[in-house]
Amino acid sequence: MGTLSENKKAALLSVMLLIVGFLVWELSIPAQKAVGELTEYELLTGGGQPKAGVPPPSQVLGKAWEQLSNPFYDAGPNDKGIGIQIGYSIYRVLTGYLLAALVALPLGFVIGMSSVAYKALNPFIQVLRPISPLAWMPLALFVIQDSEASAIFVIFICSIWPMLINTAFGVAGVREDWVNVARTHELGAIRTAFTVILPAAAPTIVTGMRISIGIAWLVIVAAEMLVGGTGIGYYVWNEWNNLDLTSVIFSILVIGIVGMLLDSMFGLLQRAVAFSE
Amino acid sequence: MSKPFLSIEQLTQRYPDGQGGEFTVFENATFGIEKGEFVCILGHSGCGKSTIMNILAGLSEPTSGVVKMDGQHVSGPSLDRGVVFQNYSLLPWLSALKNVTFGVAARFPDWDKAKVVEHSTAFLAKVGLTGDTIHRKPSQLSGGMRQRVSIARAFANEPKLLLLDEPFGALDALTRGTIQEELIKVWKDTDQTVFMITHDIDEAILLADRILLMTNGPLAQVAENVEITIPRPRVRNDIVEHPNYYAIRNHLVHFLAKRSAELSGKSSDRNSPATVRFDLTGETATEDPETAPLLRAVQA
Ligand SMILES: Nc1ncnc2c1ncn2[C@@H]1O[C@H](COP(=O)(O)OP(=O)(O)OP(=O)(O)O)[C@@H](O)[C@H]1O
Ligand SMILES: [Mg+2]
């Protein structure tokens, strides 16, 4: 054991924790009683339905296998594969997120460069930022009249703030020495922005983008529960209505894993733009 | 008399003192630098040397006064004035080589990439940086190496005026000597004018045509203009033999140790620094250096 590297030890421990967790979960769920043994009361309260209790992990794994072996089937509006549902959610998140980036990054640059712009826009940002993105939903549905676009709008509005604020903060904090280097080389405003300010502020900006994508992924589930139709959020809600807890637990895990993947993509980007002084 | 290449007229810099008032860093600094001259400026920490240099570079505006180069007002920075900053100011996300090509590409926009890289590599080699080192980021270089990259970046741009703010401060004696020689070579081969800040008296004597002396701040003055009457080429070990060497050196030491403080805060009515010139080459070799200051000729 002493020869194992730290990473291997940690990985081993993770796997052990996972197995122990599953075992405890599996054992803590009492075996389903056969229908014949149920009391009349249990039958009336739905205890007799096979999926009314929290399912054991073996069942969830079975579900995962079943779903992942055919993720893209489409059998009508209420029965689509997990891949299709996740695909819809990712599409909405990325669309709203990219629109937000298109607004937040240039605007953040302006706010970071000009203290007048900062002072003029700051009150609006401070008021709009703390509003829960879901609070916009009724207004969006009313104005846009389209549930798809409303969900995208909600993603837009929730991912814009961290990007905007971090961009402004990063740009304003660029060391004057570096700007002076650009000035002594007679670089124009555009070239200074791209060759000096952008790389200097990039670590802060990407941190903001990473926070934003995390929030967007949190919000999309809730937004889709509200607007319905498609998406992983709707899927969770739908399976809850079907009392299919196995699917609910499975999709919770999928939400976590996709969120982790999105985050680690930005982790890589963050590493690519990082520099040390 | 015709105007010098670079003329600094009545330069005054005041800053808020943080308590509602203001303090004067230096006042009425007036001096000229001829084309092709090498001028060093000596003064204690905080007297305003970097501030003067930033104004010459066009990076900041003085409270009052003007700087003219080639008869043109200096307003804003220009590629004609290359700067080696006191804190190197390398871009930390670029490798050493890219830091230099960054400048070269800005200076010579119609060069192709290969030429830019070749030119930059050559200048990095001149300051002793070759091989893998030039592909490292500044954070992976030693202080002295960073300083050399910064020097290479400024030299490679071949500006008309080189402004150097303690460019050799972080170098060991050996590298310092090599790069000083390199600087002299670059300076001689081109018609560059150099204005250099230093704390090192011997370095100033070795390199400069003239040394400007500043009194202590606040209210600092450019008080004297000492001509270095030692013929070039100067070799570090030989110049100490020159009859003028100790006279000049003692004068500088005396100024920095005593007179810079005594003269501090006294505004003088003269417009330009007093010129001090030692020439003992006609005297006997037994001249006692201690008496040398008595021989100085002060011209208005
Ligand atoms: N932006 C500023 N605001 C207020 N005071 C300043 C500013 N820049 C410089 N000073 C003050 O001006 C004086 C001169 O500073 P400067 O950097 O020119 O000194 P220096 O002669 O280069 O010193 P050193 O040899 O230590 O580099 C200092 O007292 C400093 O505190
Ligand atoms: Mg300084």
Side-chain angles (χ1 to χ4, degrees):
Chain A
M1 283 299 275
T3 57
L4 283 180
S5 76
E6 196 172 283
N7 284 344
K8 282 192 185 139
K9 275 185 206 161
L12 205 69
L13 198 61
S14 293
V15 172
M16 262 156 48
L17 279 174
L18 187 71
I19 294 173
V20 170
F22 273 173
L23 272 178
V24 172
W25 178 6
E26 184 86 40
L27 295 177
S28 65
I29 290 167
Q32 297 280 337
K33 292 183 198 169
V35 181
E37 294 168 23
L38 293 173
T39 61
E40 199 170 340
Y41 175 75
E42 277 173 328
L43 279 169
L44 281 174
T45 53
Q49 283 185 16
K51 280 169 187 163
V54 173
S58 53
Q59 227 170 312
V60 175
L61 288 176
K63 185 80 190 177
W65 178 253
E66 176 197 324
Q67 282 282 348
L68 292 177
S69 52
N70 184 15
F72 297 110
Y73 75 89
D74 189 350
N78 278 341
D79 192 9
K80 294 187 202 312
I82 187 86
I84 293 188
Q85 305 287 24
I86 284 284
Y88 273 112
S89 300
I90 291 180
Y91 156 74
R92 289 184 189 125
V93 163
L94 290 188
T95 312
Y97 182 82
L98 288 179
L99 289 174
L102 282 180
V103 176
L105 300 185
L107 193 62
F109 246 81
V110 172
I111 296 176
M113 305 272 273
S114 137
S115 52
V116 176
Y118 171 79
K119 283 178 183 155
L121 290 170
N122 195 38
F124 297 104
I125 296 174
Q126 294 308 330
V127 171
L128 293 175
R129 192 172 60 117
I131 299 173
S132 161
L134 293 173
W136 292 97
M137 187 61 103
L139 188 64
L141 282 169
F142 179 77
V143 174
I144 308 176
Q145 305 259 323
D146 177 73
S147 60
E148 180 76 36
S150 300
I152 290 174
F153 173 78
V154 166
I155 296 303
F156 169 84
I157 204 81
C158 77
S159 37
I160 199 166
W161 308 118
M163 280 197 269
L164 183 66
I165 290 165
N166 268 43
T167 306
F169 192 68
V171 168
V174 172
R175 291 242 313 258
E176 200 182 343
D177 298 343
W178 301 335
V179 179
N180 280 344
V181 170
R183 292 178 63 204
T184 52
H185 289 92
E186 290 186 37
L187 298 191
I190 301 288
R191 269 191 70 193
T192 305
F194 279 99
T195 59
V196 176
I197 296 178
L198 187 60
T204 320
I205 295 177
V206 173
T207 303
M209 296 177 80
R210 191 173 180 180
I211 297 171
S212 278
I213 197 80
I215 293 178
W217 190 245
L218 287 179
V219 167
I220 191 66
V221 175
E224 285 171 344
M225 283 181 176
L226 283 173
V227 297
T230 46
I232 190 74
Y234 169 71
Y235 179 82
V236 176
W237 197 247
N238 198 32
E239 297 304 331
W240 157 242
N241 284 333
N242 295 340
L243 278 180
D244 183 354
L245 278 178
T246 319
S247 292
V248 169
I249 293 175
F250 167 63
S251 42
I252 288 174
L253 289 176
V254 171
I255 292 171
I257 288 168
V258 173
M260 182 186 79
L261 290 178
L262 285 174
D263 184 69
S264 56
M265 270 168 26
F266 280 89
L268 288 179
L269 185 60
Q270 211 166 21
R271 209 162 338 140
V273 298
F275 59 83
S276 57
E277 283 180 45
Chain B
M1 194 181 125
S2 69
K3 284 256 174 188
F5 166 66
L6 187 74
S7 83
I8 289 93
E9 297 163 14
Q10 308 284 331
L11 218 56
T12 299
Q13 180 71 56
R14 291 182 230 281
Y15 283 121
D17 62 3
Q19 289 146 28
E22 57 178 19
F23 76 99
T24 307
V25 183
F26 50 82
E27 201 172 43
N28 288 333
T30 302
F31 55 94
I33 298 178
E34 298 297 336
K35 191 159 190 69
E37 254 192 321
F38 196 127
V39 174
C40 281
I41 190 160
L42 276 172
H44 283 290
S45 180
C47 68
K49 305 181 295 296
S50 297
T51 309
I52 290 189
M53 215 190 72
N54 275 334
I55 295 169
L56 296 190
L59 289 168
S60 58
E61 286 284 318
T63 310
S64 67
V66 288
V67 177
K68 286 184 193 156
M69 185 161 109
D70 272 338
Q72 301 272 333
H73 259 228
V74 164
S75 61
S78 145
L79 279 165
D80 285 336
R81 278 166 273 130
V83 190
V84 173
F85 293 95
Q86 189 165 16
N87 51 8
Y88 332 137
S89 290
L90 298 176
L91 304 177
W93 56 90
L94 297 178
S95 68
L97 177 62
K98 292 256 172 67
N99 262 289
V100 180
T101 57
F102 174 91
V104 175
R107 174 79 199 192
F108 307 103
D110 23 282
W111 285 9
D112 62 24
K113 204 170 164 231
K115 190 160 185 207
V116 168
V117 170
E118 188 198 340
H119 185 82
S120 308
T121 320
F123 272 87
L124 281 165
K126 279 190 193 206
V127 294
L129 294 175
T130 48
D132 288 345
T133 323
I134 64 172
H135 298 294
R136 285 198 234 145
K137 300 268 169 72
S139 59
Q140 298 160 320
L141 298 174
S142 72
M145 287 169 162
R146 289 182 215 180
Q147 202 155 40
R148 284 186 269 163
V149 176
S150 168
I151 293 168
R153 179 174 66 189
F155 285 14
N157 271 10
E158 298 169 359
K160 285 188 195 161
L161 174 66
L162 258 176
L163 300 165
L164 311 174
D165 196 344
E166 293 188 44
F168 309 129
L171 300 180
D172 61 286
L174 209 63
T175 328
R176 187 184 264 250
T178 324
I179 299 185
Q180 284 169 346
E181 277 164 30
E182 208 53 63
L183 171 59
I184 288 296
K185 228 185 279 169
V186 174
W187 169 70
K188 243 182 25 207
D189 293 348
T190 56
D191 58 350
Q192 272 171 339
T193 308
V194 180
F195 180 78
M196 175 167 139
I197 298 173
T198 176
H199 275 140
D200 183 337
I201 291 178
D202 293 307
E203 176 174 277
I205 299 177
L206 178 70
L207 298 174
D209 292 320
R210 291 191 286 128
I211 297 176
L212 298 173
L213 292 172
M214 282 184 84
T215 61
N216 293 355
L219 259 174
Q221 316 266 328
V222 179
E224 285 189 7
N225 167 29
V226 182
E227 292 185 10
I228 309 301
T229 44
I230 301 175
R232 294 178 193 271
R234 298 177 191 155
V235 180
R236 183 185 315 279
N237 293 325
D238 297 349
I239 55 170
V240 293
E241 315 273 336
H242 194 275
N244 295 345
Y245 180 82
Y246 278 103
I248 295 170
R249 192 173 194 287
N250 287 342
H251 180 78
L252 298 177
V253 170
H254 182 67
F255 181 93
L256 289 179
K258 277 238 174 77
R259 294 180 46 234
S260 64
E262 288 165 10
L263 294 173
S264 164
K266 287 183 198 140
S267 46
S268 72
D269 352 298
R270 64 165 62 252
N271 252 339
S272 50
T275 297
V276 180
R277 183 186 163 88
F278 296 96
D279 201 350
L280 308 180
T281 41
E283 309 286 334
T284 52
T286 53
E287 180 65 55
D288 180 7
E290 282 308 316
T291 61
L294 301 174
L295 293 167
R296 72 167 188 257
V298 179
Q299 300 158 359

